[in-house]
């Protein structure tokens, strides 16, 4: 006996049905004073200032539906925006999301996407406060994140000064290793252990959110999230501060998933650690006397000059460039 399964598509719901379905899966936190359903949301700003960041994810450019589930994409889209807020030394409070999607997108994929946003926001106590949807040929996400500084000054990219140290919180090279495995067509089941962890890191980054505000309290003078590769992103700090950043590669940690992927593909794992993006670790500059907790590891120093060097040699920044 044949059983025919009926797949409900987004087009079957219609625009307002899809909005109701999304909204029904999104609980609202204390900072959201007025959530989905009106012309605009209203979010509390206890500090009197709001940190704002926005980002785009485009199917085929930032994710592939044959590599990542809707849940993965939701977690990733939320994470990369929440990490930008944390990199300013702020606590993320809410997101608003613009979503373009094909009419034939399965509703189950949309549900999973929504749940991914919900669960990643829950990690930091944030909420999806609202957004908009439209029909498009590809899945396109425009995400805006809001955050609260809690009375602190924002930590920008421009405060690095000679004599200070550079430290990193979070993992480096994992997402790049996972992407390399996927691009090589490797079948990486959960039983593959460290290789599977690398692929999962590409699908769902794990930014060290709490360390952003903590870095501000520890006296960080410059900070950003490592979205385009450590060398490239430290180059932003060097240019903004008019300084040179010396990176000590011996201080960098090559995680087991990165090492396993490098062995599998015959690659140099340090290349991924130095130039791989999308892990959304935090890189910050601190006074040399700052007492950093175990979440931070010193990986370099700030000196007079310009650019980024590794073992004293100027290097190409590598990393991700959307227009290359």
């Amino acid at each position: 006996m044949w059983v025919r399964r009926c797949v409900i598509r987004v087009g079957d719901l219609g625009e307002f049905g899809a909005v109701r379905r999304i909204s029904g899966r999104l609980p609202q936190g204390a900072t959201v004073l007025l959530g989905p359903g009106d012309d605009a949301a209203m979010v509390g700003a206890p500090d009197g200032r709001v940190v704002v960041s926005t980002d785009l994810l485009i199917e085929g450019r930032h994710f592939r539906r044959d590599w990542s589930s809707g849940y993965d994409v939701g977690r990733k889209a939320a994470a990369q925006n929440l990490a930008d807020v944390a990199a300013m030394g702020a606590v993320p409070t809410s997101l608003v999301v613009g979503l373009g999607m094909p009419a034939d997108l399965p509703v189950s994929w949309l549900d999973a996407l929504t749940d991914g946003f919900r669960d990643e926001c829950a990690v930091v106590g944030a909420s999806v406060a609202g957004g908009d949807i439209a029909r498009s040929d590809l899945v396109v996400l425009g995400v805006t994140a809001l955050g609260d500084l809690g009375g602190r000054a924002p930590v920008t990219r421009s405060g690095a000064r000679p004599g200070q140290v550079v430290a990193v919180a979070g993992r480096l090279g994992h997402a790049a290793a996972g992407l390399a495995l996927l691009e090589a067509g490797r079948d990486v089941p959960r039983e593959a252990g460290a290789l599977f962890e690398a692929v999962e890191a590409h699908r769902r980054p794990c930014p060290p959110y709490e360390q952003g505000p903590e870095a501000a309290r520890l006296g960080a003078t410059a900070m950003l999230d490592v979205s385009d590769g450590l060398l490239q992103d430290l180059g932003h700090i060097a240019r903004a501060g008019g300084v040179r950043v010396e990176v000590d590669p011996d201080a960098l940690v090559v995680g087991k998933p990165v090492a396993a992927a490098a062995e599998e593909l015959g690659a140099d794992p340090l290349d991924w650690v130095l130039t791989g993006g999308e892990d959304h670790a935090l890189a910050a500059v601190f006074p040399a006397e700052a007492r950093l907790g175990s979440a931070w590891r010193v990986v370099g120093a700030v000196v007079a000059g310009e650019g980024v060097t590794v073992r004293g040699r100027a290097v190409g920044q590598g990393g991700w460039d959307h227009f290359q």
Side-chain angles (χ1 to χ4, degrees):
M1 178 179 178
W2 293 95
V3 178
R4 184 177 180 182
R5 298 183 63 184
C6 180
V7 177
I8 303 174
R9 310 289 180 177
V10 169
D12 299 326
L13 299 178
E15 177 182 356
F16 300 110
V19 169
R20 287 192 295 269
R21 191 176 186 95
I22 294 170
S23 300
R25 304 180 80 89
L26 296 172
Q28 300 301 311
T31 59
V32 179
L33 307 179
L34 180 63
D38 221 303
D39 291 314
M42 184 165 61
V43 179
D47 179 77
R49 300 167 297 170
V50 178
V51 172
V52 181
S53 178
T54 192
D55 214 343
L56 281 173
L57 288 90
I58 302 172
E59 182 181 352
R61 182 67 175 174
H62 301 99
F63 65 89
R64 286 175 45 170
R65 278 195 274 159
D66 57 333
W67 286 354
S68 298
S69 68
Y71 186 78
D72 293 332
V73 175
R75 296 291 298 253
K76 182 175 184 176
Q80 69 183 53
N81 284 273
L82 297 170
D84 281 336
V85 171
M88 298 297 291
V91 175
T93 59
S94 56
L95 301 177
V96 291
V97 180
L99 171 61
M101 52 188 168
D104 63 356
L105 185 75
V107 168
S108 59
W109 200 93
L110 175 62
D111 287 346
L113 176 76
T114 306
D115 292 349
F117 270 102
R118 178 199 65 205
D119 291 353
E120 192 66 29
C121 284
V123 174
V124 294
S127 309
V128 179
D132 188 29
I133 65 170
R135 180 172 177 171
S136 65
D137 294 334
L138 300 173
V139 176
V140 179
L141 291 153
V143 184
T144 298
L146 309 176
D148 181 66
L149 286 163
R152 297 178 297 274
V155 184
T156 67
R157 299 179 176 186
S158 61
R161 297 293 180 266
Q164 298 180 330
V165 298
V166 179
V168 171
R171 58 195 190 187
L172 295 170
H174 289 60
L179 177 60
L181 288 166
L182 290 169
E183 289 180 332
R186 293 295 197 273
D187 180 21
V188 185
R190 185 176 297 274
E191 295 73 24
L195 293 178
F196 179 77
E197 290 179 32
V199 172
E200 284 294 277
H202 164 71
R203 292 170 175 151
R204 303 181 197 174
C206 294
Y209 299 118
E210 294 181 357
Q211 298 311 314
E214 178 65 12
R217 289 189 285 268
L218 291 172
T221 60
M223 183 163 53
L224 43 59
D225 86 306
V226 183
S227 56
D228 297 322
L230 181 65
L231 296 183
Q232 180 158 300
D233 286 327
L234 288 179
H236 300 321
I237 285 179
R239 283 190 296 276
V243 296
R244 179 157 59 95
V245 174
E246 292 184 338
V247 177
D248 177 7
D250 295 329
L252 296 168
V253 174
V254 176
K256 290 182 180 179
V258 179
E263 182 177 358
E264 175 74 15
L265 299 176
D268 182 350
L270 191 59
D271 285 344
W272 290 329
V273 173
L274 287 169
T275 66
E278 294 196 316
D279 281 300
H280 301 286
L282 295 177
V285 176
F286 296 93
E289 65 274 12
R291 294 186 176 183
L292 305 182
S294 60
W296 292 93
R297 58 187 180 276
V298 174
V299 300
V302 181
V303 299
E306 59 182 25
V308 179
T309 60
V310 177
R311 291 198 176 100
R313 296 182 59 186
V315 295
Q317 293 172 12
W320 179 257
D321 183 330
H322 287 279
F323 294 96
Q324 298 295 323

